[in-house]
Amino acid sequence: MFVFMGLALVAGFARSQNPLPSWNDTAPKKAIVEFVEKVTTEGSPDFVPPNERIATFDNDGTLWAEQPMYFQFLFALDRVKALAPQHPEWKTKEPFASLLKGDMKAVAAMGEKGAVEIVMATHAGMTTEEFEKIVTDWIATAKHPKSSRHYNEMIYQPMVELLAYLRANGFKTFIVSGGGIEFMRPWVEKAYGIPPEQVVGSSIETKFEMRDGKPVLVRLPKIDFIDDKAGKPVGINSHIGRRPILAFGNSDGDLQMLEWTAAGSGQRFMGLVHHDDADREWAYDRKSHVGQLDKAWDEAVAKGWTVVSMKDDWNTIFPK
Amino acid sequence: MFVFMGLALVAGFARSQNPLPSWNDTAPKKAIVEFVEKVTTEGSPDFVPPNERIATFDNDGTLWAEQPMYFQFLFALDRVKALAPQHPEWKTKEPFASLLKGDMKAVAAMGEKGAVEIVMATHAGMTTEEFEKIVTDWIATAKHPKSSRHYNEMIYQPMVELLAYLRANGFKTFIVSGGGIEFMRPWVEKAYGIPPEQVVGSSIETKFEMRDGKPVLVRLPKIDFIDDKAGKPVGINSHIGRRPILAFGNSDGDLQMLEWTAAGSGQRFMGLVHHDDADREWAYDRKSHVGQLDKAWDEAVAKGWTVVSMKDDWNTIFPK
């Protein structure tokens, strides 16, 4: 007992000494620590009770990488290849035919319609349990084309530390992502310490059915909710029912979430990750095909939100 | 430090002595305590780690009363009366005309269509913040027609104790109700200790808008999701993403939630509240117009789920 208490004290001391070791001692880290100390100091006019300490994080480009394209789309492409033997018709049916030939330019030219067909063919038609197993297997085995790391090793170490720091200060941390809710849930608890009930994402409809006397939820090829742009405050309201006091994103898809967070009363923290590190990660912003950061950047500058430079503010990008 | 530890020990001892004082020492209480001890005993084959200790509770008829009709419908009726001066057309437009004349039989005869019109006229057209205030004011002032208690004083004391007992044992407690999610959130944290992010319910659509430079969510007169019957496992999957290990309901609307809970592996607890106490509450089951308990009762008996008799198993109904 005494030993454990001693360890806990040492760990607590180390943490309070430097709760965010992968962050340089630049303005963003200072702003984060100052905000957390303000809202957690009892008796302060800025104090926020623990049950109202809601923090929301975008996932793609904010908690993990999103280049050369959203990882969930790479998952879908892997699934098309894995399922192709069961779908001989895909050899001549678009967008599958171009995809299987490796002609990604042709797939891209088919735009949203092609993408939705690929997503539905790979994300629907099975039970929720079956899909969970597919995602779990993929995340354990698939590797990123450039880094050769597993995808769940392409999470940002400074953000993992930030999530833990917030939780140590009584915050509840949520993901609010345009990505699929059921694509994230199988692996984010281990990666980020965020349990499935604290994940908000896009979804397709599910249907309750009895199969051989056993209840299942079947995933239907029908979009239920798109948790992006103006959908993010809607998703936050639906799942959390309370306005965040801290929100982090990296793209214009996060703008409305940041506006929604900023519009509450009292102390607020709005942050954006700026991908400006071509050496260690990628550099992209106003004209990017993924994670476009344009209007949200202008608004962040105009309103004094925190913009994190991956190059200048993070001494580490990925976990070692 | 020592004193606090001493107090914690005393509190822990008192709790372990009788964690459910409003429950008689009959079979349901024994089954609950036995289940909780099994899943929380480390090293036991039945041990469930805290992050998987999900407990879901229906609200109407399970956590609070639902007679002479669902309280949310009584709220809607109060709202129609309050809004009538702004809607002179309601004097001749059904279902409002009959409602304002007090002819509830005529309203009831209009069935679901009439009910949906009343709900939409009273639940949509305002922002989420405005609706929250309306509900908060109503719950603070409106009184039940029979008991003259505030509605949030018509919660079941034994269930409040059960929720606290589960949380003290590392469970996360959720509401999974056919009632409106935004009708419950403003008052359930205080009443049951359940925060807004752990409330699953029926919903109407909301839309993100900028009004005078301020972001708002506007409630639209369009049903988004009905969290009842086969919708309950869908709502659990959408909001929680993890199968409950304990679920409590009181009616056929809870059957699929109980089936979904029962179908998981390991120890499970499925409970039903049976309203059989006409003296202290109400007595109704197979033929009731609210909270009908028929098929779920049969299935509970067939499968050995716990059926709680309000008359025999609870020594207290409402908080004192």
Side-chain angles (χ1 to χ4, degrees):
Chain A
M1 182 71 166
F2 178 77
V3 174
F4 284 111
M5 282 182 67
L7 284 176
L9 282 172
V10 170
F13 184 71
R15 196 167 52 225
S16 71
Q17 284 298 92
N18 188 3
L20 302 168
S22 300
W23 293 70
N24 292 325
D25 289 324
T26 45
K29 178 177 172 175
K30 284 176 191 166
I32 290 166
V33 172
E34 194 183 325
F35 169 79
V36 169
E37 287 178 356
K38 268 186 191 167
V39 300
T40 57
T41 302
E42 283 194 61
S44 149
D46 299 321
F47 180 73
V48 176
N51 58 344
E52 293 174 19
R53 291 180 204 159
I54 302 292
T56 56
F57 288 80
D58 170 57
N59 186 42
D60 299 307
T62 300
L63 296 180
W64 76 347
E66 59 182 353
Q67 294 282 4
M69 62 184 91
Y70 297 121
F71 293 175
Q72 190 173 358
F73 199 65
L74 295 173
F75 161 77
L77 302 187
D78 283 351
R79 290 303 300 159
V80 168
K81 287 172 202 161
L83 293 168
Q86 300 164 41
H87 292 275
E89 76 280 11
W90 284 356
K91 279 182 192 156
T92 54
K93 190 183 170 191
E94 292 297 359
F96 307 99
S98 295
L99 196 166
L100 291 169
K101 277 181 231 143
D103 186 353
M104 292 310 295
K105 275 192 185 165
V107 174
M110 287 171 230
E112 195 182 312
K113 190 174 169 288
V116 168
E117 279 193 60
I118 289 166
V119 168
M120 290 308 176
T122 54
H123 287 65
M126 71 291 281
T127 67
T128 50
E129 285 195 338
E130 287 161 354
F131 187 71
E132 183 183 349
K133 188 178 176 325
I134 291 166
V135 173
T136 303
D137 290 348
W138 181 81
I139 209 89
T141 55
K143 291 189 175 172
H144 188 275
K146 184 182 163 194
S147 72
S148 297
R149 281 174 169 243
H150 291 296
Y151 289 97
N152 57 356
E153 294 165 340
M154 295 195 68
I155 59 178
Y156 302 135
Q157 179 62 22
M159 297 306 271
V160 172
E161 291 167 10
L162 175 56
L163 290 165
Y165 170 62
L166 291 170
R167 288 193 294 265
N169 281 283
F171 281 75
K172 246 187 180 176
T173 54
F174 289 81
I175 293 173
V176 177
S177 168
I181 190 167
E182 302 299 4
F183 174 72
M184 296 183 279
R185 281 173 164 162
W187 57 271
V188 297
E189 189 163 27
K190 202 174 154 199
Y192 309 132
I194 296 179
E197 65 270 22
Q198 284 161 228
V199 179
V200 184
S202 297
S203 55
I204 58 177
E205 291 192 5
T206 63
K207 186 174 178 291
F208 180 88
E209 263 183 37
M210 281 288 177
R211 286 189 179 173
D212 302 327
K214 201 188 163 232
V216 294
L217 289 170
V218 181
R219 292 170 59 81
L220 306 180
K222 190 174 171 199
I223 290 171
D224 174 48
F225 179 64
I226 301 292
D227 189 49
D228 198 29
K229 299 189 174 70
K232 288 206 176 192
V234 172
I236 287 169
N237 185 63
S238 161
H239 280 257
I240 309 178
R242 192 163 247 163
R243 197 188 296 258
I245 63 167
L246 178 150
F248 240 108
N250 75 300
S251 78
D252 286 358
D254 302 310
L255 177 57
Q256 289 85 350
M257 172 170 76
L258 298 175
E259 289 173 334
W260 181 245
T261 303
S265 60
Q267 290 290 322
R268 303 273 144 182
F269 186 97
M270 284 62 65
L272 279 170
V273 174
H274 182 205
H275 294 262
D276 59 358
D277 194 333
D279 288 340
R280 297 187 300 171
E281 209 243 3
W282 284 271
Y284 58 95
D285 43 52
R286 293 197 191 274
K287 293 184 175 172
S288 177
H289 67 293
V290 290
Q292 183 180 38
L293 177 62
D294 183 36
K295 284 181 193 169
W297 195 2
D298 292 339
E299 194 159 327
V301 170
K303 296 190 174 167
W305 299 346
T306 295
V307 180
V308 175
S309 157
M310 292 179 83
K311 193 174 173 180
D312 298 334
D313 299 322
W314 288 358
N315 60 52
T316 304
I317 307 285
F318 300 117
K320 297 221 168 84
Chain B
M1 182 72 165
F2 177 78
V3 174
F4 284 111
M5 281 180 68
L7 283 175
L9 283 172
V10 170
F13 185 71
R15 197 165 52 225
S16 71
Q17 284 298 89
N18 190 5
L20 302 168
S22 299
W23 293 70
N24 292 324
D25 289 324
T26 43
K29 178 176 173 177
K30 284 176 190 164
I32 290 166
V33 172
E34 192 183 326
F35 169 78
V36 169
E37 288 180 354
K38 269 186 192 169
V39 299
T40 56
T41 302
E42 283 195 60
S44 149
D46 297 321
F47 180 73
V48 176
N51 59 343
E52 294 175 18
R53 291 182 205 156
I54 303 292
T56 56
F57 289 79
D58 170 57
N59 187 40
D60 297 307
T62 301
L63 296 181
W64 76 348
E66 60 183 350
Q67 294 283 4
M69 61 184 93
Y70 297 122
F71 293 175
Q72 189 172 358
F73 199 65
L74 295 173
F75 162 78
L77 301 187
D78 283 351
R79 290 302 300 157
V80 168
K81 287 171 204 160
L83 292 167
Q86 299 164 44
H87 292 274
E89 76 278 12
W90 284 355
K91 279 182 193 155
T92 53
K93 191 183 169 192
E94 294 296 357
F96 307 100
S98 295
L99 197 166
L100 291 168
K101 276 181 234 145
D103 185 353
M104 294 310 296
K105 274 193 186 165
V107 175
M110 288 170 229
E112 197 182 308
K113 190 174 167 292
V116 168
E117 278 192 60
I118 290 167
V119 168
M120 290 308 176
T122 53
H123 287 64
M126 69 293 279
T127 68
T128 50
E129 284 193 341
E130 288 161 354
F131 187 70
E132 184 182 348
K133 189 178 174 323
I134 292 166
V135 174
T136 303
D137 290 347
W138 181 82
I139 209 89
T141 55
K143 291 189 175 172
H144 187 274
K146 185 183 161 192
S147 73
S148 297
R149 282 175 167 239
H150 292 295
Y151 289 99
N152 57 358
E153 295 166 339
M154 295 195 67
I155 60 178
Y156 302 134
Q157 179 62 21
M159 297 307 269
V160 172
E161 291 168 10
L162 175 55
L163 290 166
Y165 170 62
L166 291 171
R167 289 193 294 266
N169 281 282
F171 281 75
K172 247 187 179 174
T173 52
F174 291 80
I175 293 174
V176 177
S177 169
I181 188 166
E182 303 300 3
F183 174 73
M184 296 183 279
R185 280 172 164 163
W187 57 270
V188 296
E189 190 163 27
K190 200 171 155 204
Y192 309 132
I194 296 179
E197 66 269 23
Q198 286 163 224
V199 179
V200 184
S202 297
S203 55
I204 59 177
E205 291 192 4
T206 64
K207 186 173 177 291
F208 179 88
E209 263 183 38
M210 280 289 176
R211 286 189 178 173
D212 304 323
K214 200 186 164 232
V216 294
L217 289 171
V218 182
R219 293 171 58 82
L220 307 178
K222 191 176 170 197
I223 289 170
D224 174 48
F225 179 63
I226 301 290
D227 190 48
D228 198 29
K229 301 189 173 74
K232 290 208 174 189
V234 171
I236 288 170
N237 186 61
S238 162
H239 282 256
I240 310 177
R242 196 164 245 161
R243 194 188 299 257
I245 64 168
L246 178 150
F248 240 107
N250 77 300
S251 78
D252 286 359
D254 302 310
L255 177 57
Q256 289 85 350
M257 172 170 77
L258 298 175
E259 289 173 334
W260 181 245
T261 303
S265 58
Q267 289 290 323
R268 305 272 143 182
F269 186 96
M270 282 64 63
L272 280 170
V273 174
H274 183 205
H275 295 261
D276 59 356
D277 193 333
D279 289 339
R280 297 186 300 170
E281 208 241 5
W282 284 271
Y284 57 97
D285 43 52
R286 294 196 189 272
K287 293 185 177 171
S288 178
H289 67 294
V290 290
Q292 183 180 37
L293 178 61
D294 184 36
K295 285 181 190 169
W297 195 4
D298 291 339
E299 195 158 325
V301 170
K303 295 187 173 167
W305 299 345
T306 295
V307 180
V308 174
S309 158
M310 292 179 83
K311 193 173 173 182
D312 298 334
D313 300 321
W314 288 357
N315 60 55
T316 305
I317 307 284
F318 300 117
K320 297 217 167 85

